[in-house]
Amino acid sequence: MSTQSSRGADRSVPQCALVVGRGVSARAAVRLLRRDGIRTIVVVPETDGPEPDWLDPDDVELRRAGAGTDPLTADVDVLIPSPGVPPSDPIIQAATDAGVAVWSEPELAYRQRPRRVVAVTGTNGKTSTVELVTAMFTQDGRAARSCGNIGFPLCDAVLDADEDVVLVAELSSFQLAYTSSLRADVATLLNVAPDHLDWHGTFAAYAGAKARIWRGQQPGDWSVVNADDSVAVALGQDARARHAAFSVRDVVDRGIGVRDDTLVVCGDGDTRELLTISSLPETSRHHVANVAAAATTAHLAGIADAAVCAAARDYTPGDHRGRLVTEWKGVRYIDDSKATNPHAAAAALAASGSTVWIAGGLAKGVDLASLGGSIGDVRHAVLIGSAADALAEICAQHGVQTSRATTMDDAVQRAACVAHPGDTVLLAPACASFDQFRDFRDRGEQFADAVRRLGNADRSPRMVGS
C-alpha cells in the first residue's frame, strides 16, 4: 500500500519492522509501529541483560542477536536501528545485502505521520539552538515542541503532540545517516568538525550524514548554513531549498549577521537591527553563534523580531553546557561536560581565559591534535580516561604541564591545587564519557559534586596520591 501525504512523504507502509536496540529510541519506534498495526520484531544484543521492561511479549516478538543474522532479517521489509548501532553492525549489513530498507527512528516517524518540522543539526550547539528556536516560537504564541536527539523521540512527538504543533527537531549524524524523506520547512546546519569517526568511518561520511538534513526538502523550503564554517558552506551548496545563512563575523546575503555589537537581519540588499550582543545573558562566541542560528531559523519560519529578541535575552544554556558551578577562592569552576569533541572543547577554552583544564575520555576515533591550537591559555591540564596519553602528548608539544587523575574527585582536587585566583577550572573533556561514566550528564554531575565538596571542606585541597 502506498499513499502520498500533503507534505510529500513516501507513505509506503511496512508489513514487518525489525527494531534494533533497547533504549528510548527503540521504545518510541515500537510504540508507533504497534499503534499502526505493523508486525514488530525487537532485537537486542545477546549480552545486553534482561528483556527491556517496556516490551509486551504478547504484542512484540523479541529476538536475540547471536550466531547468525539472516534469520533476523527474514520476512522483514524495514529495519530501524537505535542511534548507537553503526553501519558496520552485522545486522545492518545483512539487511542491506537482503534489500531491506534501513530507516532511522525520525525517518519512521515522518513517514508514518508527516508533520511540520523545523530541524537543526551540527557537531556542536544543537540542543541549545533547538531550545532557543522552540522558545522563540512560544514567545510568538506559536505551539512548538523540542524533540529528536534532545531526548524526546520524534515517534513519541508525532503521537503525543497535537497536529498544529511545530516539531523543532535536533537530529544527530547517526539519525540522519538513515534519513531520506523527512522534510523540514527550515533545516539548519550549525557547524561541522570531526566527531564520531569510529561510527561513520571517515570525516567525509560524517559530513555527508549531516548534509542529509536537506535531502527531503522542496525548493520552497529553507536551508541554513553557518557562513563562518567552510565545510558547512560547501555542503549547503547542494541543497535544493532556498539558501540562507548566519554569521557572527559579518553581514550575510539573507539571514542573521553581525555589525559592530549588533545582530542584524539581512535580506534583499538591506539590513535592520535585531538586538545587541551585549544584551544577551552570555556573550561567548559559541553562544552568540547559537543565538544567530536560532534567530535565522525562527525568522525564516515567520517568527516576529520581538519574540526572537525576548527569547534570546531570557535564555540560559542547560546543564553541563558551560554552566558555572561555583566560584571558590577566586577560581571559577565551569561544567562543560557536553563538550564531547575537540571542536566544542576549543570553543570552551577560547571563552575561559587562564585555565586549568580537565580533559579526556573516549576519543571516538577523532584525532585530538587540533586541540593544540586552542590551549594557549591553559596553565595546567588534568587528564582522565583512555585518551589521557594522546592529550598528554599534545600538551607536551605546546608546553602545557599535565597530571593524571583516576576519578573525578581526584581530578578536581588536582585542579584546585594548581589553580590561582582569577583562573577557571574547566571541565571540557573533548571526548565521550563512556569509558568511565554513564553519560556526559553523569560526568558533569560528578564534577559538580566534587567541586561542591571542595567548598564544604574547611581545608585546602590536598592532591590525592601526591
Side-chain angles (χ1 to χ4, degrees):
M1 172 176 131
S2 180
T3 61
Q4 196 76 10
S5 82
S6 61
R7 290 196 55 79
D10 179 355
R11 294 299 312 280
S12 300
V13 179
Q15 302 301 306
C16 179
L18 179 68
V19 177
V20 183
R22 59 186 296 129
V24 294
S25 178
R27 179 177 184 171
V30 168
R31 181 179 174 221
L32 177 57
L33 288 163
R34 296 308 301 133
R35 184 74 64 88
D36 287 352
I38 297 168
R39 180 188 170 206
T40 304
I41 302 166
V42 176
V43 174
V44 296
E46 200 168 31
T47 59
D48 204 17
E51 296 180 3
D53 57 10
W54 47 264
L55 278 183
D56 181 353
D58 295 327
D59 197 41
V60 175
E61 182 180 344
L62 178 67
R63 297 180 183 174
R64 292 276 182 178
T69 55
D70 291 345
L72 296 177
T73 56
D75 301 322
V76 169
D77 46 11
V78 64
L79 181 146
I80 298 102
S82 291
V85 181
S88 59
D89 189 275
I91 295 177
I92 293 184
Q93 291 290 318
T96 302
D97 292 344
V100 174
V102 181
W103 297 347
S104 66
E105 174 266 324
E107 176 78 359
L108 169 68
Y110 192 83
R111 283 175 179 262
Q112 295 300 112
R113 301 277 201 289
R115 296 283 294 275
R116 187 178 177 202
V117 174
V118 171
V120 175
T121 194
T123 303
N124 297 301
K126 297 185 292 296
T127 298
S128 294
T129 304
V130 163
E131 290 174 345
L132 275 161
V133 172
T134 304
M136 291 169 182
F137 269 82
T138 302
Q139 282 280 356
D140 205 34
R142 307 268 294 277
R145 180 71 188 266
S146 299
C147 60
N149 195 56
I150 201 167
F152 181 50
L154 258 74
C155 283
D156 283 338
V158 297
L159 289 175
D160 296 343
D162 293 338
E163 290 193 5
D164 62 343
V165 175
V166 175
L167 303 183
V168 185
E170 174 185 327
L171 299 176
S172 71
S173 61
F174 302 154
Q175 295 167 325
L176 287 167
Y178 297 117
T179 297
S180 58
S181 67
L182 190 153
R183 175 185 172 189
D185 293 2
V186 186
T188 299
L189 176 59
L190 303 176
N191 43 62
V192 187
D195 200 10
H196 302 298
L197 301 192
D198 54 346
W199 196 97
H200 290 279
T202 65
F203 178 63
Y206 171 70
K210 291 295 188 185
R212 293 177 72 89
I213 194 171
W214 301 308
R215 181 164 178 148
Q217 287 193 300
Q218 299 299 316
D221 299 324
W222 287 102
S223 64
V224 180
V225 300
N226 181 351
D228 305 330
D229 187 302
S230 59
V231 178
V233 170
L235 292 170
Q237 292 175 354
D238 292 332
R240 60 176 171 169
R242 293 175 289 178
H243 291 221
F246 66 93
S247 173
V248 294
R249 295 176 181 167
D250 207 344
V251 296
V252 295
D253 290 338
R254 183 172 297 278
I256 304 295
V258 168
R259 177 172 288 159
D260 299 324
D261 179 50
T262 304
L263 291 179
V264 293
V265 181
C266 310
D268 300 323
D270 196 13
T271 63
R272 68 174 185 274
E273 293 188 356
L274 183 66
L275 79 162
T276 58
I277 292 171
S278 57
S279 69
L280 296 172
E282 182 186 336
T283 58
S284 64
R285 188 181 186 89
H286 63 276
H287 180 67
V288 176
N290 291 342
V291 171
T296 303
T297 305
H299 168 68
L300 295 173
I303 303 303
D305 287 1
V308 169
C309 294
R313 289 178 178 132
D314 288 346
Y315 179 81
T316 54
D319 292 340
H320 318 302
R321 295 172 175 85
R323 180 67 64 88
L324 175 66
V325 177
T326 193
E327 183 169 335
W328 185 64
K329 294 189 175 182
V331 177
R332 300 169 73 244
Y333 289 79
I334 300 290
D335 170 14
D336 204 344
S337 183
K338 190 64 169 64
T340 59
N341 55 63
H343 186 264
L349 288 165
S352 298
S354 179
T355 302
V356 178
W357 180 34
I358 300 177
L362 193 66
K364 300 178 289 183
V366 173
D367 184 358
L368 301 174
S370 62
L371 284 163
S374 305
I375 59 177
D377 290 329
V378 174
R379 290 201 310 100
H380 187 98
V382 182
L383 305 178
I384 60 175
S386 60
D389 287 345
L391 287 168
E393 184 175 341
I394 294 165
C395 288
Q397 291 169 357
H398 292 82
V400 175
Q401 292 186 339
T402 63
S403 57
R404 304 292 183 96
T406 56
T407 66
M408 188 58 75
D409 265 322
D410 184 11
V412 169
Q413 284 280 342
R414 289 176 183 274
C417 281
V418 297
H420 298 160
D423 284 349
T424 296
V425 171
L426 173 68
L427 172 66
C431 298
S433 57
F434 303 121
D435 58 338
Q436 288 184 286
F437 306 94
R438 185 172 62 251
D439 52 27
F440 77 87
R441 297 176 185 85
D442 178 42
R443 178 170 60 189
E445 287 161 6
Q446 289 198 34
F447 171 77
D449 287 345
V451 169
R452 294 185 187 105
R453 282 192 287 273
L454 281 180
N456 292 335
D458 187 22
R459 56 180 172 80
S460 296
R462 175 180 57 84
M463 188 172 290
V464 178
S466 60

